[in-house]
């Protein structure tokens, strides 16, 4: 199975190179097909790898990754405990850097989510193409992003994690800058530049934190670091934890480091927004769970109340910003700030409930927000704008199927019970009610109450969106606003996300049982 993981890493990258090598005319004509076939093979391979991982565990349930035990004997996630499909070879001996990759029950769902969203983006591009064209380069960049993200989720070496983490930055910058909003060239360039500068700054801080860890331990290997973590919560360990947290928080992003996100989403093409929200934001939250908790548990406990505070502010600030938005894509982008705030709060609790909720919310947010951005792109394509005031009301009457799906996705995102968005936020609030023993419970109870108010605001802005966009008299709007409703390629592309939203909402043990934290 180690060979299969290497294939998942190499196949998209090789396909991207082939697309760039082919003659331009032929490559542009075949690019979306090649991308769909290659990303489909990666999706099948990742599903097979996940199935084999589950079969290899006792009773089909992996033990997750352990960093310690609570007072009640429950386990906390973080370090690689049961690595699967492992490849570990010396790479840079002088620095002790190894090409060490593997998967476990924490990283595997995120790899499958990545493969699914990239496949759906390539499938969508078979019929829905950007006006600027240049499909060869766009699909190639999406495949490079897929390689970088899967590599980040499977890296067991800090330097390797950093390198894969960086692989996705330039491709996404180019996707926003070249294929972004054609009506606002200056705006899309500014959004792309802000994105790359902020994320590079965060990466630099994260790398400094990794170097401090190496100074104390003499290794970059996460397997070794998880077995013998830095338990000291002060001095160099605290500095490393702060640097790593800030670097990863830029990527999530958490308030006040979120300033790059709204413009990046608003100006990116549909497939760029889907991958940015559904995949790239998860690199930061995954890094906090995979690196911060198991490697620096003492320092993590020291900074956890502050992380919880900034996450809670993100929940409220993101929700309030959504209430003021008049652009559909910016509204969904700010909603991501709030949802990632819940994930940050769950991580900060260091409790089984909170961490399980953060991991579940990671997957649910990728599915639901990916669907929301697909829908936002469809609405923008039909009206040539994402400005709610220009689109007008009566979407139910003009585009009943798209209007109905938008309402469904909004209800899922606000956390309606029975849909995927509910379980993650509920478990995060439960984790804040019962944080790890070392943390101040009163502080987290306050955070829980404030975050609970954030769920009310989330319901308010999504219901306001539905009322503003979907309800009204179609006669009030010009005939040019009427367009073809849901197309076949859109239905095929969105169907897996709709189905997963329902399945995970009705059967959360599909994920929760495999982590075995509760």
């Amino acid at each position: 199975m180690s060979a299969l993981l290497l294939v998942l890493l190499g196949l998209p990258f090789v396909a991207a190179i082939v697309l760039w090598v082919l003659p331009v005319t032929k490559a542009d004509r075949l690019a979306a097909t090649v991308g769909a076939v290659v990303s489909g093979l990666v999706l099948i391979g990742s599903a097979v790898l996940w199935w084999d991982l589950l079969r290899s565990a006792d009773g089909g349930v992996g033990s997750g990754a352990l960093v310690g035990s609570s007072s009640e004997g429950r386990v906390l996630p973080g370090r690689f405990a049961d690595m699967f499909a492992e490849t570990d070879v010396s790479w840079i001996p002088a620095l002790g850097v190894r090409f060490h990759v593997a998967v476990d029950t924490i990283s595997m769902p995120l790899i499958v989510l990545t493969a699914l969203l990239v496949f759906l983006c390539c499938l969508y591009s078979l019929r829905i193409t950007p006006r600027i064209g240049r499909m060869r380069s766009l699909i190639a960049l999406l495949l490079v992003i897929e390689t970088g993200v899967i590599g980040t989720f499977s890296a067991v070496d800090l330097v390797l994690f950093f390198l894969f983490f960086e692989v996705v930055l330039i491709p996404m910058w180019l996707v926003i800058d070249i294929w972004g909003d054609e009506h606002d060239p200056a705006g899309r360039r500014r959004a792309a530049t802000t994105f790359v500068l902020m994320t590079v700054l965060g990466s630099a801080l994260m790398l400094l934190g990794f170097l401090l860890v190496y100074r104390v331990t003499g290794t970059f290997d996460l397997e070794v670091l998880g077995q013998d973590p830095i338990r000291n919560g002060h001095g160099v360990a605290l500095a490393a934890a702060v640097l790593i947290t800030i670097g990863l928080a830029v990527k999530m992003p958490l308030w006040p480091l979120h300033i790059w996100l709204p413009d990046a989403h608003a100006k990116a093409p549909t497939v760029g927004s889907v991958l940015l929200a559904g995949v790239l934001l998860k690199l930061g939250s995954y890094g906090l769970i995979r690196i911060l908790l198991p490697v620096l548990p003492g320092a993590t406990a020291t900074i956890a109340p502050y992380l919880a505070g900034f996450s809670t502010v993100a929940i409220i600030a993101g929700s309030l910003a959504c209430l003021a938005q008049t652009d559909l894509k910016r509204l969904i982008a700010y909603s991501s700030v709030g949802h990632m705030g819940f994930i940050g709060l769950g991580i900060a609790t260091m409790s089984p409930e909170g961490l399980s909720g953060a991991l579940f919310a990671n997957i649910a947010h990728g599915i639901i927000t990916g669907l929301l951005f697909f829908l936002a792109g469809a609405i923008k394509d039909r009206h040539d704008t994402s400005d709610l005031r220009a689109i007008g009301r009566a979407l139910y009457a003009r585009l009943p199927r798209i209007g109905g799906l938008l309402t469904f996705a909004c209800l899922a995102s606000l956390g309606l019970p029975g849909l995927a968005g509910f379980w993650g936020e509920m478990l995060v609030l439960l984790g804040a009610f019962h944080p790890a023993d070392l943390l101040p419970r009163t502080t987290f109870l306050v955070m829980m109450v404030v975050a609970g108010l954030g769920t009310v605001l989330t319901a308010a802005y999504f219901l306001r969106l539905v009322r503003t966009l979907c309800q009204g008299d179609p006669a009030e709007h010009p005939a040019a606003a009427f367009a073809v409703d849901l197309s076949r390629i859109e239905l095929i592309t969105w169907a897996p996300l709709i189905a997963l939203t329902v399945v995970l909402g009705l059967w959360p043990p599909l994920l929760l049982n495999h982590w075995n934290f509760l």
Side-chain angles (χ1 to χ4, degrees), residues 18 25 27 98 199 203 286 328 336 452 462:
V18 171
T25 54
R98 306 185 66 81
T199 49
S203 298
Y286 173 81
L328 178 58
S336 291
F462 272 125

Side-chain angles (χ1 to χ4, degrees), residues 113-135:
L113 174 65
T114 301
L116 173 64
L117 289 178
V118 173
F119 170 66
L120 296 181
C121 286
C122 292
L123 192 65
Y124 186 77
S125 299
L126 287 172
R127 294 292 179 87
I128 313 294
T129 59
R131 294 177 185 176
I132 192 176
R134 302 175 67 176
M135 285 298 296

Side-chain angles (χ1 to χ4, degrees), residues 437-463:
D437 295 337
L438 295 175
L439 302 180
R441 187 177 183 190
T442 302
T443 300
F444 278 84
L445 286 176
V446 173
M447 304 295 180
M448 180 194 73
V449 173
V450 176
L453 294 176
T455 63
V456 177
L457 291 174
T458 302
Y461 67 72
F462 272 125
L463 293 177

Side-chain angles (χ1 to χ4, degrees), residues 8 22 52 66 88 121 318 333 357 389 488 504:
L8 297 182
L22 288 175
D52 286 338
L66 317 181
D88 183 10
C121 286
R389 296 164 297 186
R488 181 177 300 175
L504 291 179

